[in-house]
């Protein structure tokens, strides 16, 4: 079905493929032909058929907008003519290769920018793109295939398309198409099947494309549900949410949720922790960090939301991610506690609606978090002062008011006692205020109510007034104490947040992570030493006090702890790591921050070890990459000269054909040229392996350039006429190995000839600069971008060369290695006016030796 027309901005439809050859262009042209049959105005803006007959046949009968030709560096290129499309103003235009890079000098750098102009004009566009050209997966595709993609398109451009259709094909079917010659020319098929089009590569690319399109489908489904105000989850895909508290039961819940998710292919696993809005109560940071790592190891994601009503916050999150199942720990609340509150698990189950709730029992569950052990709201001195005020102030107030008993009424006396109780509450907290309220009740009853000096109250209204006095005094005291407690907790939370913020900034500034963390912790809490210990064996009951069972991973400060029992405070991070602090015993509030430090220390240690492993694996990966590239390249490049030589020899050996002398000479020349190519390839490979092994023999001696360059040109055979050499006789001799220098010059000249038009000449010049001579090989080819100058010297690289049968890409890497082995350098530079200049720098021989050599000559 074709996209709908629009009177404003045009609509964009994209055919997305996993790899070249799956049929994107064919599908796009088929869509265009169906539009023509329905009477739609469809034109071709730009289509690349790659000479595929069935694709080319679909162009018959469709109007084609002429392409715009542009000249760049002496070559002519054809590009999409945006102005011609806008002038023609069709309803629908077909434009291939969305990620294409336009020739420098075009109005827009990228074709997708051209398409944006056309869409803004109200024209609908149908285009194509492969998954490897999307910016977000570009690095992943390079890791899979080993081939960098320099032409990319931002994901947002494709994501905004009105329709995205995946053109899918199994790897086996795509390889059959390749083998039948339906994608590439016959001479490229073997190399493609053994490199980019391997079954593993195609399978991985197919999965990337399917997952990317699945994400787009999810986004469309979410938008549809939001537009139609659909709050209930749709079970289009299983999404399992597990609620976490940071407790010991979390590991059990996560693993159970992972097993539930594993029963459905492609199910998502999400962990969520709800923290209160005031931020004053929270879970164990080390426990949450451990849960996060476990979630990520099992393929899940961790989330944190804020809410005072935990059940509703959990369900809001679950509905927001379209979850189908919710995993909770079974409540540990007793029956008496459930009379006042049903608990999170029961409340969540009652409100869950269509979401399935799993209540998981667990042996390692902890009881509900107790706050009785929290630090006192007021300092000890203030509490003592409150008791003193209650014990001394109330008698003084009673004595003062007793003499005024006939002047002041009972309500006034009650108010003054209430002021005293509030003062005690402000100064000393809840318990002194409760004592003051009860004592005030008794004093008012004994001294200021009839009958005096008895605890009998004859007037019911007086009794009511005194009871209200006690209740108000107790309520005000509780509120004042709670406010003081929350103020202290908030101050403590602010201090903790400041410490953690400083910690995060300290690490993010690039300082060594693990030593920085431990040193910051020691400074923050004034500790003598902080040590990260690692268990070296399976833990036993006596290991906490056995120094031989522990290894010091990192330490800061004075003498380190050698075991957890030797520390004043220790925090268990996991079954192998423990953070030990010496200097003073930390209270419970400080311990929470210490646990956050410990969790970060474990992460820092893990990252440090991963970096070390990556560094150790890097040489092996490079060697494996080189071996893979070598086998892939040599499998084809050895076959070509061998096949040519074999065909020539077999033809000469055929006695049924009477070859003329000219034909015989041509066959012999072909065989000779193929064997020379084969010999050069094998020599390059052997020399490259010797260079990497450090066993290449180099014999340095003074050499005159005017003698070496002609020999190198002779090695080029018939191609030597394309070289102009300008070597002065006045140049000093250089220190080099004549055979290796000749090899370098042949490789550089061959490379320059390959990328230069036949009518252009290659220039070789040399100049003397102090203690070295610069030899320049100058061509007028397409050149190499400056940011690719280093990559061109990597083995098996052929930047800008799509024909993988023209050598293994080893010449420049070998040339630089040979130059450096002789004490020289090889660097690329841009040729003014376009092209590439390779600069070979070699040290000169001593001037005395050079002069004597010239005189003897």
């Amino acid at each position: 079905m074709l996209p709908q027309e629009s009177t404003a901005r045009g609509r964009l439809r994209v055919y997305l493929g996993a790899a070249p050859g799956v049929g994107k262009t064919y599908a796009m042209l088929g869509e265009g032909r169906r539009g023509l049959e329905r009477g739609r105005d469809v034109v071709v803006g730009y289509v690349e058929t790659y000479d595929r007959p069935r694709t080319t046949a679909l162009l018959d009968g469709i109007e084609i907008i002429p392409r715009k030709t542009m000249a760049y560096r002496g070559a002519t290129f054809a590009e999409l003519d945006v102005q011609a499309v806008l002038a023609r103003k069709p309803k629908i235009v077909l434009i291939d290769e969305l990620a294409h890079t336009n020739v420098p000098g075009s109005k827009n750098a990228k074709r997708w920018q051209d398409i944006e102009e056309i869409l803004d004009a109200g024209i609908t566009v149908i285009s194509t793109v492969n998954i490897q050209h999307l910016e977000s997966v570009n690095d992943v595709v390079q890791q899979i295939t080993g081939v960098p993609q320099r032409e990319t398109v931002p994901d947002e451009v494709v994501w905004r398309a009105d329709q995205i259709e995946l053109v899918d094909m199994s790897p086996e079917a795509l390889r059959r198409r390749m083998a039948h010659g339906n994608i590439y020319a016959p001479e490229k098929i073997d190399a493609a099947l053994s490199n980019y089009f391997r079954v593993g590569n195609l399978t991985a690319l197919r999965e990337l494309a399917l997952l990317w399109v699945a994400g787009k489908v999810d986004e469309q489904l979410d938008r549809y549900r939001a537009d139609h105000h659909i709050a209930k989850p749709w079970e289009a895909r299983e999404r399992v949410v597990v609620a976490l508290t940071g407790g010991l039961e979390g590991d059990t819940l996560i693993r159970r949720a992972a097993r539930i998710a594993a029963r459905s292919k492609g199910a998502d696993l999400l962990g969520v922790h709800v923290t209160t809005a005031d931020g004053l109560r929270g879970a164990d940071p080390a426990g949450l960090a451990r849960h996060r790592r476990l979630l990520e190891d099992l393929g899940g994601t961790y989330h944190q939301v804020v809410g005072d009503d935990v059940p509703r916050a959990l369900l809001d999150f679950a509905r927001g991610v379209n979850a189908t199942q919710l995993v909770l720990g079974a409540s540990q609340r007793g029956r008496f506690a459930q009379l006042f509150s049903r608990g999170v698990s029961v409340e969540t189950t009652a409100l869950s609606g269509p979401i399935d709730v799993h209540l998981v029992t667990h042996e390692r569950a902890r009881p509900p978090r107790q706050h009785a052990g929290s630090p006192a709201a007021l300092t000890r001195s203030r509490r003592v002062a409150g008791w003193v005020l209650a014990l001394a102030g109330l008698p003084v107030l009673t004595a003062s008011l007793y003499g005024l008993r006939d002047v002041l009424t009972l309500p006034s006396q009650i108010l003054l006692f209430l002021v005293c109780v509030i003062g005690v509450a402000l100064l000393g907290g809840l318990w002194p205020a409760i004592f003051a309220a009860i004592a005030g009740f008794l004093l008012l009853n004994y001294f200021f109510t009839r009958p005096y000096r008895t605890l009998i109250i004859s007037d019911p209204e007086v009794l009511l007034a005194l009871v209200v006095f006690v209740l108000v005094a107790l309520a005000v005291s509780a509120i004042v104490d709670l406010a003081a407690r929350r103020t202290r907790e908030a101050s403590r939370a602010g201090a903790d947040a400041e410490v953690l913020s400083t910690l995060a900034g300290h690490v993010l500034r690039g300082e060594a992570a693990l030593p920085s963390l431990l040193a910051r912790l020691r400074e923050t809490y004034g500790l003598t030493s902080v040590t990260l210990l690692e268990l070296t064996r399976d833990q036993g009951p006596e290991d906490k006090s056995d120094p031989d069972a522990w290894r010091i991973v990192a330490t800061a400060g004075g003498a380190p702890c050698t075991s957890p029992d030797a520390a004043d405070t220790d925090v268990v991070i996991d079954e192998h790591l423990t953070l030990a602090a010496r200097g003073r015993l930390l209270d419970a509030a400080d311990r929470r921050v210490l646990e956050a430090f410990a969790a970060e220390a474990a992460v820092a240690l893990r990252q440090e070890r991963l970096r070390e492993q990556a560094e150790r694996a890097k040489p092996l990966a490079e060697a494996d990459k080189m071996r893979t590239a070598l086998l892939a390249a040599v499998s084809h490049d050895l076959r070509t000269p061998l096949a040519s030589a074999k065909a020539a020899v077999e033809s000469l050996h055929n006695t049924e054909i009477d070859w003329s002398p000219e034909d015989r000479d041509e066959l012999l020349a072909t065989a000779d040229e193929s064997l020379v190519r084969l010999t050069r390839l094998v020599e390059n490979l052997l020399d490259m392996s010797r260079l990497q092994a450090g066993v290449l023999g180099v014999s340095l001696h003074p050499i005159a350039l005017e003698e070496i360059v002609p020999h190198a040109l002779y090695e080029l055979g018939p191609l030597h006429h394309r070289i102009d050499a300008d070597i002065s006789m006045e140049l000093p001799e250089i220190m080099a190995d004549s055979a290796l220098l000749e090899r370098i010059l042949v490789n550089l000249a061959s490379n320059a000839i390959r990328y230069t038009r036949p009518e252009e000449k290659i220039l070789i010049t040399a100049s003397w600069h102090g203690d070295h001579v610069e030899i320049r090989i100058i061509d007028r080819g397409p050149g190499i971008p400056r940011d690719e100058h280093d990559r061109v010297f990597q083995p098996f690289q052929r930047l800008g060369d799509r024909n993988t049968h023209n050598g293994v890409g080893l010449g420049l890497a070998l040339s630089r290695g040979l130059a450096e082995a002789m004490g020289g350098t090889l660097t690329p530079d841009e040729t003014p006016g376009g092209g590439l200049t390779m600069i070979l720098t070699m040290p000169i021989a001593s001037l005395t030796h050079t002069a004597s050599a010239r005189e003897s000559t």
Side-chain angles (χ1 to χ4, degrees):
M1 180 178 176
L2 283 168
Q4 297 292 323
E5 298 178 26
S6 174
T7 57
R9 178 179 167 88
R11 295 171 64 84
L12 174 63
R13 179 170 185 172
V14 176
Y15 284 94
L16 176 69
V22 296
K24 302 179 302 301
T25 303
Y26 189 87
M28 179 183 69
L29 290 174
E31 184 77 10
R33 294 194 67 84
R34 290 192 293 273
L36 283 176
E37 293 170 359
R38 299 187 185 112
R40 310 289 293 276
D41 184 11
V42 182
V43 301
V44 171
Y46 188 101
V47 167
E48 194 64 69
T49 65
Y50 296 101
D51 297 325
R52 297 167 187 166
R54 296 181 61 189
T55 304
T56 304
L58 289 178
L59 287 171
D60 293 341
I62 305 179
E63 179 184 348
I64 300 177
I65 302 293
R67 300 181 184 183
K68 176 176 59 176
T69 58
M70 298 186 65
Y72 178 68
R73 291 188 174 181
T76 302
F77 301 89
E79 294 287 1
L80 169 67
D81 193 338
V82 178
Q83 296 306 315
V85 173
L86 296 177
R88 170 65 174 76
K89 200 168 178 60
K91 293 296 183 183
I92 301 172
V93 59
L94 312 180
I95 301 176
D96 214 354
E97 298 183 350
L98 180 65
H100 172 74
T101 301
N102 294 329
V103 173
S106 302
K107 178 182 178 182
N108 297 314
K110 295 285 188 176
R111 181 164 293 165
W112 65 264
Q113 295 170 323
D114 295 338
I115 290 176
E116 287 292 321
E117 283 193 35
I118 296 172
L119 291 171
D120 289 339
I123 302 172
T124 292
V125 177
I126 304 178
S127 188
T128 65
V129 70
N130 278 328
I131 189 67
Q132 68 262 29
H133 295 298
L134 296 182
E135 187 65 49
S136 66
V137 298
N138 183 259
D139 57 337
V140 179
V141 172
Q142 182 173 352
Q143 292 174 4
I144 294 171
T145 65
V147 179
Q149 298 291 336
R150 288 181 291 278
E151 290 189 331
T152 60
V153 59
D155 287 51
E156 181 63 23
V157 174
V158 185
W159 198 266
R160 290 200 311 264
D162 299 278
Q163 289 179 268
I164 299 176
E165 184 167 333
L166 178 66
V167 183
D168 189 33
M169 181 176 289
S170 69
E172 294 77 10
L174 185 57
R175 283 172 60 85
R176 282 197 299 271
R177 289 197 65 199
M178 174 70 72
H180 294 160
N182 295 331
I183 301 177
Y184 285 168
E187 64 271 13
K188 300 181 181 180
I189 292 176
D190 287 344
L193 288 175
S194 60
N195 288 279
Y196 193 89
F197 284 81
R198 295 196 298 269
V199 173
N201 288 359
L202 297 177
T203 304
L205 293 173
R206 188 186 189 196
E207 183 178 13
L208 279 177
L210 290 169
L211 289 174
W212 197 92
V213 173
K216 174 65 176 177
V217 172
D218 277 346
E219 186 265 342
Q220 290 175 334
L221 178 61
D222 291 342
R223 186 169 63 245
Y224 178 86
R225 293 175 65 237
D227 292 343
H228 292 77
H229 307 290
I230 300 173
K232 294 183 178 179
W234 282 6
E235 298 186 13
R237 178 195 291 188
E238 287 288 349
R239 286 187 174 86
V240 182
V241 174
V242 53
L244 303 174
T245 63
L248 297 176
E249 74 281 359
D251 293 355
T252 303
L253 300 182
I254 292 172
R255 292 190 174 93
R256 176 62 61 86
R259 290 196 295 272
I260 294 173
R263 295 170 189 164
S264 301
K265 186 67 175 177
D268 294 333
L269 175 62
L270 303 92
V272 61
H273 169 66
V274 179
T275 185
T276 56
D278 57 16
L280 300 180
R281 298 185 301 275
D284 177 8
L288 289 176
R290 186 179 67 254
H291 294 165
R292 182 171 191 160
R293 290 196 300 271
L294 180 58
L295 264 172
E296 293 172 350
D297 290 342
L298 295 174
T301 57
Y302 175 82
H303 307 267
Q304 188 162 323
V305 296
V306 177
D308 289 323
D309 190 335
V310 175
R312 293 188 183 278
L314 277 175
L315 291 171
D316 288 344
F317 174 82
R319 295 187 182 106
V321 298
N322 200 23
T324 56
Q325 304 192 57
L326 180 60
V327 178
L328 298 170
S331 176
Q332 300 298 304
R333 299 170 63 87
R335 293 184 178 182
F336 181 77
Q338 291 183 13
L339 294 175
F340 300 95
S341 174
R342 293 191 295 180
V344 172
S345 57
V346 177
E347 188 73 18
T348 303
T349 304
L351 301 174
S352 61
I355 300 177
D356 296 337
V357 178
H358 301 262
L359 297 181
V360 180
T361 58
H362 40 85
E363 296 179 357
R364 305 181 69 187
R366 64 181 182 185
R369 188 179 183 91
Q370 301 293 331
H371 299 286
S374 59
L378 301 175
T379 61
R380 184 175 182 276
S381 60
R382 287 189 59 178
R383 294 198 302 273
V384 170
W387 282 107
V388 170
L389 179 61
L391 294 172
L394 287 175
V396 171
L397 178 63
T398 302
S400 301
L401 294 178
Y402 189 77
L404 302 173
R405 186 171 56 180
D406 297 331
V407 177
L408 296 176
T409 62
L410 182 62
S412 299
Q413 295 164 346
I414 291 176
L415 287 177
L416 291 174
F417 269 87
L418 182 61
V419 170
C420 183
V421 172
I422 293 175
V424 171
L426 288 173
L427 185 61
L430 179 62
W431 293 108
I434 292 175
F435 170 79
I438 296 173
F441 172 84
L442 296 175
L443 291 172
L444 284 168
N445 181 15
Y446 191 81
F447 289 104
F448 300 102
T449 60
R450 290 187 172 86
Y452 298 122
R453 298 182 181 277
T454 68
L455 295 178
I456 299 173
I457 303 175
S458 59
D459 190 347
E461 291 185 3
V462 173
L463 176 62
L464 176 63
L466 292 179
V467 170
V468 170
F469 159 74
V470 172
L471 294 178
V472 170
L474 293 176
V476 171
S477 300
I479 293 173
V480 170
D481 181 77
L482 179 63
R485 188 180 299 277
R486 287 304 176 94
T487 300
R488 180 162 183 173
E489 289 177 351
S491 300
R492 186 55 181 265
D496 291 347
E498 184 178 355
V499 169
L500 294 175
S501 174
T502 304
L503 161 68
H506 194 62
V507 175
L508 291 175
R509 282 192 294 271
E511 303 177 25
L514 191 52
S516 170
L517 281 168
L518 300 184
R520 177 63 63 178
L521 177 59
R522 189 185 68 83
E523 295 170 4
T524 301
Y525 292 106
L527 301 170
T528 305
S529 68
V530 179
T531 307
L532 183 63
L533 298 172
E534 184 175 27
L535 192 64
T536 58
R537 63 193 184 199
D538 293 337
Q539 190 166 6
E542 304 298 328
D543 282 342
K544 291 200 69 174
S545 58
D546 183 6
D548 295 333
W550 298 88
R551 182 176 68 88
I552 297 176
V553 177
T555 186
C561 299
T562 55
S563 66
D565 279 355
D568 295 315
T569 303
D570 66 285
V571 174
V572 177
I573 302 173
D574 55 33
E575 60 268 22
H576 297 292
L577 292 175
T578 297
L579 187 69
R582 175 182 287 171
R584 66 184 181 91
L585 186 64
L586 299 180
D587 59 28
D590 288 336
R591 188 180 177 87
R592 288 195 58 210
V593 181
L594 184 66
E595 290 170 348
F597 271 93
E600 290 298 324
V603 172
L605 176 62
R606 188 172 293 106
Q607 290 176 343
E608 185 177 301
R609 289 180 172 174
L610 287 175
R611 282 194 297 268
E612 292 173 355
Q613 292 175 5
E615 289 298 323
R616 289 195 298 268
K618 189 174 181 181
L620 297 176
E622 290 294 332
D624 183 67
K625 181 179 178 182
M626 180 168 291
R627 282 193 297 270
T628 302
L630 173 63
L631 291 174
V634 173
S635 63
H636 185 277
D637 291 294
L638 284 176
R639 188 184 303 123
T640 302
L642 282 173
S644 299
K646 182 180 179 182
V649 172
E650 288 179 348
S651 299
L652 289 171
H653 188 68
N654 191 343
T655 57
E656 297 180 359
I657 301 176
D658 186 16
W659 299 104
S660 65
E662 293 80 7
D663 292 336
R664 185 176 297 276
D665 291 341
E666 183 177 351
L667 289 172
L668 288 171
T670 300
D672 181 66
E673 181 183 352
S674 298
L675 292 174
V676 168
R677 285 180 57 197
L678 181 61
T679 301
R680 186 176 301 157
L681 173 62
V682 172
E683 289 176 348
N684 282 346
L685 290 171
L686 290 175
D687 283 346
M688 195 68 198
S689 63
R690 292 190 188 105
L691 269 175
Q692 292 182 336
V695 295
L696 180 67
V698 179
S699 176
L700 300 179
H701 55 274
I703 295 175
L705 271 179
E706 64 268 19
E707 297 176 1
I708 290 295
V709 173
H711 288 287
L713 297 182
Y714 177 78
E715 289 291 325
L716 293 173
L719 298 177
H720 76 274
H721 69 278
R722 296 188 56 189
I723 306 290
D724 281 343
D726 182 14
I727 307 297
S728 172
M729 296 286 293
E730 302 300 323
L731 291 174
E733 292 181 331
I734 60 175
M735 292 297 293
D737 184 310
S738 56
L740 298 184
L741 180 59
E742 186 177 316
R743 292 280 302 285
I744 295 174
L745 294 175
V746 170
N747 283 338
L748 296 179
S750 300
N751 192 71
I753 290 172
R754 183 180 298 119
Y755 295 105
T756 304
R757 296 190 303 274
E759 64 272 14
E760 295 283 353
K761 289 278 191 177
I762 308 300
L763 180 62
I764 299 179
T765 66
S767 55
W768 181 10
H769 301 276
D771 60 351
H772 65 273
V773 170
E774 287 187 356
I775 307 166
R776 294 175 177 261
I777 296 86
I778 306 169
D779 68 52
R780 295 289 180 180
I784 299 173
R786 185 171 293 277
D787 57 354
E788 301 283 358
H789 279 183
D790 288 334
R791 287 188 59 243
V792 78
F793 291 104
Q794 297 177 10
F796 316 110
Q797 295 291 325
R798 292 177 295 275
L799 298 181
D801 182 13
R802 299 296 180 91
N803 297 319
T804 59
H805 59 280
N806 288 336
V808 295
L810 196 60
L812 291 180
L814 177 61
S815 298
R816 171 174 273 189
L818 295 177
E820 292 174 351
M822 294 187 293
T825 60
L826 180 62
T827 56
D829 196 7
E830 295 179 354
T831 302
L836 181 68
T837 297
M838 301 301 296
I839 304 173
L840 174 62
T841 302
M842 298 300 299
I844 65 172
S846 64
L847 295 180
T848 304
H849 187 283
T850 301
S852 60
R854 298 287 185 189
E855 291 172 0
S856 61
T857 302

